[in-house]
Amino acid sequence: MNWYVVYTKPKWEKKVAEKLKQIGIECYCPLITQVKQWSDRKKKVEVPLFNSYVFVQLSENDRNSVFQIVGIVRYLFWLGKPAIVRNEEIDIIKKNLMASNVSEISVTPMQVGDRIKLDSGAFSNQEAIVQEVSNTHYILVLESLGCVLKIKYK
């Protein structure tokens, strides 16, 4: 069975994960503890590591069963197909969140000007600079190769 990523309504990640477990669907919503400051107090709260994402493990035939849960909007797609997350990647997230020496974790989207290292595909191990980020694509400058790479997604 594959791990898929479902996109939820904002701030519904924990509720969706709980409801999925109640109907017997294996799911994972990675949580981190943060200290939130209000005007009158500080409080430790558990918040999702990935905003609006919950990982679900099910067979291809059972993918539509998640839509009986209120709060699920759609599946996350990559290259026109539902995005599949490998078991190893889920294990890495779990392992790193359990590490005792981790003090703070945050996830931020790529922004123009960021330097990144590509870890897969034809340009694996190449460094790139993010030149443009849109709803449909990224444009990366590969200085070492003297080219511009446009990555489309749906």
Side-chain angles (χ1 to χ4, degrees):
M1 289 195 294
N2 293 320
W3 283 97
Y4 296 98
V5 183
V6 291
Y7 188 78
T8 68
K9 290 180 180 180
K11 310 281 187 209
W12 279 63
E13 303 89 348
K14 291 195 281 188
K15 291 177 235 172
V16 164
E18 185 179 314
K19 295 286 184 188
L20 286 166
K21 288 176 185 173
Q22 286 176 1
I23 65 168
I25 294 177
E26 177 76 23
C27 66
Y28 178 52
C29 179
L31 301 172
I32 56 173
T33 302
Q34 289 183 340
V35 176
K36 296 284 186 175
Q37 170 113 24
W38 284 268
S39 60
D40 61 338
R41 67 190 183 283
K42 288 183 181 180
K43 185 177 181 180
K44 286 185 179 181
V45 292
E46 281 193 325
V47 295
L49 179 61
F50 304 104
N51 291 331
S52 296
Y53 291 160
V54 174
F55 301 100
V56 294
Q57 186 178 37
L58 33 74
S59 66
E60 176 74 29
N61 297 337
D62 295 331
R63 275 193 327 109
N64 287 333
S65 63
V66 299
F67 293 112
Q68 61 187 309
I69 303 296
V70 176
I72 293 181
V73 177
R74 61 180 169 80
Y75 277 97
L76 183 69
F77 280 75
W78 178 253
L79 300 175
K81 296 178 183 175
I84 294 175
V85 180
R86 297 187 320 258
N87 283 326
E88 302 85 48
E89 293 168 324
I90 296 292
D91 291 341
I92 288 169
I93 293 169
K94 288 179 180 179
K95 179 182 171 190
N96 285 315
L97 287 179
M98 283 192 247
S100 60
N101 61 346
V102 176
S103 62
E104 186 175 329
I105 297 174
S106 64
V107 175
T108 56
M110 281 195 281
Q111 296 181 357
V112 173
D114 286 352
R115 286 193 168 272
I116 62 169
K117 187 169 185 175
L118 303 174
D119 60 3
S120 63
F123 298 100
S124 181
N125 295 322
Q126 293 295 318
E127 287 198 11
I129 300 171
V130 179
Q131 185 177 43
E132 181 180 325
V133 178
S134 80
N135 290 336
T136 58
H137 65 274
Y138 290 115
I139 295 183
L140 306 175
V141 176
L142 302 171
E143 291 178 329
S144 62
L145 298 177
C147 68
V148 174
L149 179 63
K150 182 175 182 177
I151 302 173
K152 290 185 180 181
Y153 52 91
K154 296 183 182 190

